[in-house]
Amino acid sequence: MQQSPERHARRRAFRPIALLLLALGLTMPATPSFAQAAGHVTAKIVKAGLLVGGGGGRGVLTYRGKAYPFKISGLSFGITVGATVGRLDGRASGIREVGDFAGTYSSVGGGFALVGGINGVHLRNEKGVTIVLQGPKAGLELAANISQITITLR
């Protein structure tokens, strides 16, 4: 079956364009979708309590190359005795826009520190943002509680 000369010419012109598009597609870096971008979080938290605990601190969310300072405040209910200072480092996921990071987070957990120890926390807010942090803490604390933490962007 013979092809018309016009059709053959169109096919020949299409090949270099298709090869160029394929080459561009293969060389472009893969980027995650906006909904999947994670942020890096650092925070310093001071806690104290006797039965009911309270705490606060400051931190920085680094998200899409920009730094967003934030303030932390919270209460814990359960067994809480002592006082600690902790420096936490970790990541926040599920952020669609930076405003999603602010909000009220819940956590159930416990810990023990005698002069020093390791702190870890897994938090989730009403917008679906999850924060996982860990790091050293200093002080004296015995805790088994339910915590509610509020993060406010500054």
Side-chain angles (χ1 to χ4, degrees), residues 106-126:
S106 297
S107 171
V108 175
F112 175 77
L114 178 61
V115 180
I118 298 293
N119 200 12
V121 66
H122 187 108
L123 305 167
R124 185 173 175 90
N125 76 4
E126 68 277 3

Side-chain angles (χ1 to χ4, degrees), residues 5-17:
E6 289 174 16
R7 190 172 185 191
H8 186 66
R10 276 186 278 170
R11 216 180 229 183
R12 287 183 90 177
F14 178 73
R15 281 186 191 154
I17 294 170

Side-chain angles (χ1 to χ4, degrees), residues 34-91:
F34 279 93
Q36 295 175 346
H40 182 259
V41 179
T42 57
K44 179 181 178 184
I45 299 174
V46 177
K47 298 189 309 182
L50 181 60
L51 297 180
V52 175
R58 299 176 184 271
V60 175
L61 165 68
T62 305
Y63 180 67
R64 299 197 181 277
K66 292 184 181 178
Y68 299 93
F70 61 89
K71 189 171 119 180
I72 304 165
S73 60
L75 288 175
S76 60
F77 303 97
I79 301 169
T80 302
V81 178
T84 59
V85 175
R87 293 191 183 278
L88 302 171
D89 189 57
R91 57 185 283 144

